[in-house]
Amino acid sequence: MRLLGGELRKLVKRPATWITLGIFLGVLVLLFLAVGASYQTIGRAPAGQGGGPEAQAAIRSLLAFPGAYASVASFIGSIGGLFAIVFGASAAGSDWGWGMIRVAVSRGESRGRYILGKLVAVALLLVPGAIAAFVVGVVAVALAATIAGLGTAGMGSPDAVGTLPWLAVRTWLALVEQAAIGFAIATLARSQLAGLGVGIGIYFVESFAAGFWPEWVRYLPFSVVTSLLREPGTAGGVDVNGSAGALASTTVDQTTALLLVLAYLIASAIVSAIALERADITG
Amino acid sequence: MSGAPGPAPLAFATRGLARAYGTTHALVGLDLAVPQGVVYGFLGPNGAGKTTTIRCLLGLIRPDAGTMELFGEPYTARDRHRLEQVGSLVESPAFYPYLSGRDNLRVIGSTGAAPARGRVEEVLELVGLRDRAGDRVGGYSMGMRQRLGIAAALLSDPRLLVLDEPANGLDPAGIVAMRETLRYLAAQGKTVFVSSHILPEVQQLADVVGIIDHGRLVRQGRLDEMLRETGHVRVRVLSADAGPAREALERLAGRDAVWEAAGQGDGDGWITVRVEPSRAGEVNRVLAQAGIYATGLDSGSDLESLFLSLTGNA
């Protein structure tokens, strides 16, 4: 608990934590408001120019409640995943940059315990982060729906509200998995910058590869997040590029997605622990 | 019945310690013995293997060969938890720049051995940083960081304190305060292992000295005994008297123990005699008996001369 308290103190007091969250919330609000504001314009535009009733229907599926809850979760899990990579990589990598791994290890702290404690602290701090993003996202999507003239009917639907706790848990797990991947890369590379660069690079390479090998890519760590956050029986959700689209060929069922997300999370933790255990700490 | 006193218990010892970085051999069979309760000065030229030795001790790297002991018990990578008895400041002090000095000590204290309640304030007071403890470390001067590093090393009240260049960045008052603190800690029975390039500082501080070069120990022992061997008396005589003075002094101390410094262009020259500093009066008397009167005389012992002669950098 002492170790966890120390790790939480570091993360909470670090300006980068709040800057990352602030930028993400800003992007979240701006994107939903932009989508809401474009709804009427898109409806009037010809289909050949990306407008028309079909495009409007796609926007409606994003903004209209109760399906909008899934849209928000999916957005947090996908675009928010980029920010989670940044958060995870900076938590692990900065300790190398500032020489703090050396300080902890030379005090007799277990290397495995230290790195896992740090990862648990990242995961714990993502709880309020995910809740804040979800609340802000729901408010933003409600505003966007109002601007679009769709209203917020269905927002208080008991069925939809009943699914929110499980949706929130899945969203959090999606963020933790992606943060853990950034964390593991930064630990392996012993660099915050490498963790950010490589993590985000893999994220985009994976979404690019989905266009060529969807059958395989759907099992990869960032694609399974899309499957995990997709509400069964709905077309809701956005893919890792943040665009609504046909997801059937690039998704797996939710149970498989959950198991894969947990597997990637555990694998990232193990890789981080082994990497630190074997590392020569010379910086 | 009382037996003869055994050898002093050791805080830290290595036997045949070896470590290479690629093709560079940093340590080649290092045998160190650091007695408990002393200030141990660990000296060596750049690249001699000092930092590598400290990294092995602190579990930051694994030696390729050799054994280590910590407080008389074998010490391997599996025993890293025993570092809870060791406080250290290695290379440069490391901190989170966005946290205050106090918060840094708190998060450092969340690893390894738990510090006693109130210990953070105690060590801040000890290093004279209590007034600035609430400021972000990013705004600290190098000297303040160094003092905070010493505070962090003392946080868990360690039995062995390992300090790498502790005087770095400290002003003269800070150096004096640090020296007093380390002497105080040694007097409390703690072992202080100091790696430093500042030889006069080590000479004032250390009880025992180990000198390494090219990854091997070249000399280890009590500093006062070493200095006795390097003691000297220097006399200044008129250049006209230099020849007879030298002959007289060679009769006293032997041909190899006398050498003349190059003239300073003012008509006088210095002659150095390698004898214990306490024999300065005898040297003066020998000159007077030869009818030569010194225009200057000093005596002393010099760790720097010993260091340079042992490491081949003289």
Side-chain angles (χ1 to χ4, degrees), chain A residues 184-210:
Chain A
I185 295 169
T187 304
L188 273 171
R190 308 178 187 188
S191 156
Q192 175 176 339
L193 204 59
L196 298 180
V198 176
I200 292 172
I202 292 173
Y203 180 99
F204 284 112
V205 166
E206 188 181 312
S207 54
F208 179 73

Side-chain angles (χ1 to χ4, degrees), chain B residues 67-260:
Chain B
T67 58
M68 291 187 284
E69 283 187 8
L70 193 58
F71 298 111
E73 299 286 331
Y75 169 67
T76 67
R78 290 180 183 172
D79 307 310
R80 287 194 295 235
H81 63 278
R82 289 175 55 207
L83 289 171
E84 292 188 352
Q85 301 174 85
V86 180
S88 61
L89 171 59
V90 188
E91 295 162 69
S92 53
F95 298 104
Y96 294 100
Y98 59 89
L99 290 179
S100 68
R102 182 177 285 112
D103 276 341
N104 263 290
L105 293 184
R106 284 178 180 152
V107 299
I108 289 169
S110 71
T111 60
R117 186 176 292 274
R119 182 66 177 165
V120 167
E121 298 306 319
E122 206 176 298
V123 292
L124 283 169
E125 185 74 47
L126 188 69
V127 299
L129 272 182
R130 200 157 180 186
D131 292 344
R132 299 288 305 274
D135 297 353
R136 288 172 67 247
V137 166
Y140 279 17
S141 67
M142 192 177 170
M144 289 169 71
R145 283 167 177 260
Q146 196 71 11
R147 282 190 278 157
L148 191 62
I150 293 169
L154 293 170
L155 202 54
S156 299
D157 198 18
R159 291 173 67 190
L160 168 62
L161 194 59
V162 178
L163 303 172
D164 193 4
E165 300 290 352
N168 263 1
L170 295 180
D171 57 22
I175 291 174
V176 171
M178 181 205 65
R179 191 191 307 145
E180 286 171 359
T181 302
L182 298 184
R183 292 288 347 156
Y184 168 77
L185 291 169
Q188 302 295 305
K190 297 186 189 305
T191 308
V192 182
F193 183 88
V194 181
S195 163
S196 179
H197 283 102
I198 307 175
L199 299 180
E201 185 56 39
V202 173
Q203 189 168 339
Q204 289 187 65
L205 186 63
D207 304 302
V208 179
V209 167
I211 300 175
I212 70 167
D213 193 21
H214 294 103
R216 280 196 178 87
L217 185 75
V218 291
R219 188 73 192 270
Q220 181 173 247
R222 291 204 62 85
L223 180 61
D224 50 2
E225 289 170 8
M226 285 194 196
L227 290 179
R228 259 201 299 277
E229 293 172 22
T230 61
H232 63 260
V233 175
R234 293 197 312 156
V235 290
R236 193 177 192 187
V237 293
L238 293 173
S239 53
D241 293 334
R246 185 173 179 143
E247 285 170 17
L249 293 171
E250 281 175 357
R251 282 196 294 276
L252 173 74
R255 197 177 181 85
D256 294 341
V258 180
W259 64 94
E260 212 171 324

Side-chain angles (χ1 to χ4, degrees), chain A residues 2-3 6-7 9-11 13-15 95 98-100 102-109 111 113-114 118 277-283, chain B residues 19 55 58-62 80-81 83-84 88 90-92 94-99 103 106-114 152 156:
Chain A
R2 189 162 51 90
L3 179 64
E7 292 302 322
R9 183 191 293 265
K10 282 187 246 177
L11 290 173
K13 293 205 168 187
R14 188 173 180 187
D95 261 22
W98 286 323
M100 298 308 289
R102 165 168 39 105
V103 172
V105 170
S106 62
R107 284 180 53 80
E109 183 57 61
R111 294 184 184 208
R113 209 174 80 101
Y114 181 73
K118 187 178 284 295
E277 189 60 44
R278 297 171 63 89
D280 273 352
I281 302 169
T282 53
Chain B
R19 167 73 198 210
R55 284 175 181 160
L58 296 178
L60 301 174
I61 61 173
R62 290 178 180 80
R80 287 194 295 235
H81 63 278
L83 289 171
E84 292 188 352
S88 61
V90 188
E91 295 162 69
S92 53
F95 298 104
Y96 294 100
Y98 59 89
L99 290 179
D103 276 341
R106 284 178 180 152
V107 299
I108 289 169
S110 71
T111 60
S156 299

